[in-house]
Amino acid sequence: MIKSFDDVLKKAGRLGIKKVAVACAEDKPVLEAIKGAKEKNIADAILVGDKEKILKILDELNMKEQDYQIVDEKNPKAAALKAVEFVSSKKANMVMKGLIDTASFLRAVLDKEIGLRTGKLMSHVAVFETEKFDRLLFMTDAAFNIAPDINAKVDILNNAVLMARAIGIDMPKVAPICAVEVVNPNMQATIDAAILTKMNDRGQIKNCIVDGPLALDNALSEEAAAHKNIKSEVAGKADIFLMSNIEAGNVFYKALTYASNCRNGGIVVGTAAPVILTSRADSFESKLNSIALAALTAHEIDK
Amino acid sequence: MIKSFDDVLKKAGRLGIKKVAVACAEDKPVLEAIKGAKEKNIADAILVGDKEKILKILDELNMKEQDYQIVDEKNPKAAALKAVEFVSSKKANMVMKGLIDTASFLRAVLDKEIGLRTGKLMSHVAVFETEKFDRLLFMTDAAFNIAPDINAKVDILNNAVLMARAIGIDMPKVAPICAVEVVNPNMQATIDAAILTKMNDRGQIKNCIVDGPLALDNALSEEAAAHKNIKSEVAGKADIFLMSNIEAGNVFYKALTYASNCRNGGIVVGTAAPVILTSRADSFESKLNSIALAALTAHEIDK
């Protein structure tokens, strides 16, 4: 069973080394994570960007130039496109954002000719290891999809299921999270949750067990679920937390990150290959965790 | 400065004892909290409900019958109305839910003749003492208002400001919480946040400092705010977290309660007197904290 980021890192290290293409790699915290990923046998890297600056940082970090393929491209947008192209042409398994703004990076990821579009919705999945729960919590979407309708939620859910299975949760339990655990026709989130559950019953959503509406407490905690007398295969044991809107997702992400003791990582899925989009505020550990999640997901996609 | 529930309990104990009317008081966990409130000199109680059952529980808890006014009313709805009437007729300062379903209890609270309506919106405010932040966090609304529009948000904000001031935060800093800290015309929450901020600038919202949009991290943490170069009197120091919808509020509440180490309490405001609406899952401590918050708020309203 995969229950912690130690498990994730170990599993990723046993896959056979993957390759990550970094867009605008002249970024010290990103290169530190790249170094860590190599040391753990998770990923090699193609570093696209300002070669002079990249070499300087490699030197500072005691990383060997000959260990990496370096592609000199000073223009950030061109560098992003080149990094993405390494992935779409199968020379790398995943792409990572370096020192470039998110909008420009994503434009390259979604480029019509060489990008990583699949026709499905792109979504963000964050993974948390908390001190209070003995399993990894997959949460989506805190970053991209503002107010997803039912069709968007199906894509977001499927993206997270693919990723959870890649990490090692064969039949993930999915809780569409609402403010209450009953269907309230005045709360769209509860209606969508009921619909998703029935779509799962009917085999329209596969490879997982969906049950909602659930509130966060009774999705997280068996004790809270028992307190409310909820009979459900998912209540108290949810692996995937499907948030009803970006505000709820973002608050979940940040409440855990800032008010609890946790480890995390996250990637973008729904694309032809995983996309690593860490932010400056993320720790080294969180960036490394994200690379490991991406490596496992890439392995599953490439199967 | 009031920074913890110890401070809140001490301050409430110094006010002069208040009186709480309990609807359907035949509920052991509620009576335990009532006992604690009396011991801390915060509140006496009028116990409305099934007298026989109430006396039995008082005995179990070593509470003295003569310390309480007991009103025998076995019908739950009639008991709720009687408890509310003690408050609207100024014989008690606040009302608390006992062994009765929430909907029936609230119907009594909102009764047109003897209820506690004010013409303002009723809202729930939760208060958290966390292990990571050295101040109390007021969060609203995780319970009542599903998708408040801008007018509703003004009422919800004013309700929380009145309460925060009653607890001892003279000029509370209010952060309307969004998924991002920039105005994004595709995200209604960020538009509302900008509007509320300007209404505060123009003196339409008083007795507080509002600044938003902010995301949860940069409202909570000065470090996160500095990371994003946000210049704001509220960023990193927010007292009141105005959530954009019930899902975001509920997730904040439950992420703190279930995934972090915290103490909490909460009351309903916007009514003529505070309403204590704890749930069975709440701890003794949380119920007692809620009574103390209600006592302080009642004191402010009655000034």
Side-chain angles (χ1 to χ4, degrees):
Chain A
M1 265 299 280
I2 301 287
K3 292 188 169 191
S4 69
F5 275 108
D6 287 342
D7 297 339
V8 169
L9 293 170
K10 263 183 232 151
K11 182 169 177 176
R14 282 192 309 254
L15 283 183
I17 199 152
K18 302 288 171 190
K19 194 162 276 181
V20 54
V22 184
C24 306
E26 58 274 20
D27 182 295
K28 194 167 177 181
V30 165
L31 287 178
E32 260 184 307
I34 291 295
K35 181 184 180 189
K38 186 168 180 67
E39 284 167 358
K40 292 199 178 293
N41 202 43
I42 295 169
D44 274 332
I46 304 174
L47 308 177
V48 186
D50 185 323
K51 186 167 182 177
E52 200 180 323
K53 290 183 184 168
I54 291 171
L55 288 176
K56 189 161 168 278
I57 300 170
L58 289 184
D59 190 52
E60 287 167 21
L61 294 171
N62 290 316
M63 292 165 76
K64 289 183 198 144
E65 180 182 344
Q66 62 269 31
D67 282 349
Y68 300 93
Q69 183 180 343
I70 302 178
V71 178
D72 190 30
E73 175 54 73
K74 287 184 181 59
N75 179 293
K77 289 177 189 175
L81 280 171
K82 281 188 183 168
V84 167
E85 195 170 13
F86 277 113
V87 182
S88 53
S89 65
K90 306 282 181 192
K91 292 182 187 105
N93 308 92
M94 50 215 183
V95 62
M96 182 168 186
K97 181 177 100 73
L99 201 66
I100 176 173
D101 68 285
T102 304
S104 301
F105 175 69
L106 288 178
R107 227 168 280 130
V109 168
L110 294 176
D111 183 86
K112 282 200 179 130
E113 288 180 20
I114 59 142
L116 303 171
R117 288 169 182 260
T118 59
K120 285 192 298 182
L121 202 65
M122 191 168 72
S123 55
H124 186 268
V125 182
V127 183
F128 288 93
E129 176 187 336
T130 61
E131 71 182 321
K132 304 228 170 180
F133 297 96
D134 186 29
R135 65 190 189 275
L136 291 175
L137 312 177
F138 293 71
M139 191 273 291
T140 187
D141 177 349
F144 281 169
N145 294 286
I146 297 172
D149 63 12
I150 185 71
N151 288 316
K153 284 179 181 175
V154 171
D155 276 1
I156 293 168
L157 195 166
N158 282 327
N159 287 344
V161 167
L162 180 145
M163 176 176 162
R165 287 165 59 87
I167 307 311
I169 321 290
D170 286 339
M171 186 55 78
K173 298 182 175 68
V174 183
I177 300 296
C178 305
V180 292
E181 60 282 342
V182 291
V183 177
N184 176 340
N186 295 318
M187 293 169 133
Q188 186 62 42
T190 68
I191 296 171
D192 290 351
I195 295 170
L196 292 167
T197 304
K198 186 44 72 178
M199 290 176 80
N200 178 241
D201 281 348
R202 288 287 184 267
Q204 295 167 274
I205 295 173
K206 293 184 205 305
N207 297 324
C208 62
I209 305 169
V210 182
D211 189 26
L214 288 171
L216 184 60
D217 54 341
N218 40 61
L220 274 172
S221 147
E222 295 197 69
E223 198 188 329
H227 221 81
K228 291 253 181 175
N229 269 317
I230 301 171
K231 306 263 176 284
S232 157
E233 283 182 89
V234 175
K237 298 190 273 289
D239 301 299
I240 297 177
F241 296 74
L242 179 71
M243 309 310 288
S244 53
N245 57 54
I246 197 168
E247 287 84 15
N250 205 269
V251 162
F252 190 12
Y253 188 103
K254 287 166 175 172
L256 288 183
T257 310
Y258 284 85
S260 81
N261 296 312
C262 71
R263 302 165 73 192
N264 70 7
I267 60 171
V268 177
V269 280
T271 36
V275 176
I276 306 163
L277 193 68
T278 60
S279 83
R280 304 200 74 73
D282 291 330
S283 65
F284 162 77
E285 195 191 29
S286 157
K287 289 186 174 83
L288 180 59
N289 292 340
S290 299
I291 295 172
L293 293 171
L296 288 164
T297 305
H299 191 78
E300 178 78 16
I301 292 174
D302 295 342
K303 257 184 189 172
Chain B
M1 265 298 280
I2 302 285
K3 294 190 168 190
S4 69
F5 275 108
D6 287 342
D7 296 341
V8 169
L9 293 170
K10 263 183 231 152
K11 184 169 176 177
R14 282 193 309 254
L15 283 182
I17 200 153
K18 303 288 172 191
K19 193 162 276 181
V20 54
V22 184
C24 306
E26 58 274 19
D27 181 296
K28 195 167 176 180
V30 165
L31 287 178
E32 259 184 307
I34 292 294
K35 181 184 180 188
K38 185 168 180 65
E39 284 168 358
K40 293 201 176 293
N41 203 42
I42 294 169
D44 273 330
I46 305 173
L47 308 176
V48 186
D50 185 323
K51 187 167 183 177
E52 201 180 322
K53 291 183 184 167
I54 292 171
L55 289 176
K56 190 162 166 278
I57 301 170
L58 290 183
D59 190 51
E60 286 167 21
L61 294 171
N62 291 316
M63 293 166 76
K64 290 183 197 141
E65 179 183 347
Q66 63 267 31
D67 282 350
Y68 300 93
Q69 183 181 343
I70 302 178
V71 178
D72 190 30
E73 175 54 72
K74 287 183 181 60
N75 180 293
K77 289 178 188 175
L81 280 170
K82 281 188 183 166
V84 167
E85 194 171 14
F86 277 114
V87 181
S88 54
S89 65
K90 307 281 181 192
K91 291 182 188 106
N93 307 92
M94 52 216 183
V95 63
M96 182 168 186
K97 181 177 101 71
L99 202 66
I100 177 174
D101 68 287
T102 304
S104 301
F105 176 69
L106 288 177
R107 226 169 281 131
V109 168
L110 294 175
D111 183 85
K112 282 199 178 132
E113 288 180 19
I114 59 142
L116 303 171
R117 288 169 182 261
T118 60
K120 284 192 298 181
L121 203 65
M122 192 168 70
S123 54
H124 186 269
V125 182
V127 182
F128 288 94
E129 176 187 335
T130 62
E131 72 182 320
K132 305 228 169 179
F133 298 97
D134 186 29
R135 64 189 189 276
L136 291 175
L137 311 177
F138 292 71
M139 191 272 291
T140 187
D141 178 347
F144 281 169
N145 294 286
I146 297 172
D149 64 11
I150 185 70
N151 288 316
K153 285 181 182 174
V154 171
D155 276 1
I156 293 168
L157 195 167
N158 281 327
N159 287 346
V161 167
L162 180 145
M163 177 177 160
R165 288 166 57 88
I167 307 311
I169 321 291
D170 286 339
M171 185 56 78
K173 297 181 173 71
V174 183
I177 300 296
C178 305
V180 292
E181 60 282 342
V182 291
V183 176
N184 176 340
N186 295 319
M187 293 169 133
Q188 186 62 42
T190 69
I191 296 171
D192 290 351
I195 295 170
L196 293 168
T197 305
K198 185 46 71 179
M199 289 176 81
N200 178 242
D201 281 348
R202 289 287 185 267
Q204 294 166 275
I205 295 173
K206 293 183 206 304
N207 297 325
C208 61
I209 305 170
V210 182
D211 189 27
L214 288 172
L216 184 60
D217 54 341
N218 41 60
L220 274 172
S221 146
E222 295 197 70
E223 199 187 328
H227 221 81
K228 291 253 182 177
N229 268 318
I230 300 171
K231 306 260 176 285
S232 158
E233 283 182 88
V234 175
K237 299 190 274 288
D239 302 300
I240 297 176
F241 296 73
L242 179 71
M243 309 310 288
S244 53
N245 56 56
I246 198 168
E247 286 85 14
N250 206 269
V251 162
F252 190 12
Y253 188 102
K254 287 166 175 171
L256 287 184
T257 310
Y258 285 85
S260 81
N261 295 312
C262 71
R263 302 166 72 192
N264 69 6
I267 60 171
V268 177
V269 281
T271 36
V275 176
I276 306 163
L277 194 68
T278 59
S279 82
R280 304 200 73 73
D282 292 329
S283 65
F284 162 77
E285 196 191 28
S286 157
K287 288 186 174 82
L288 181 59
N289 292 340
S290 299
I291 295 172
L293 294 170
L296 288 164
T297 304
H299 191 78
E300 178 79 15
I301 292 173
D302 295 342
K303 255 184 191 171

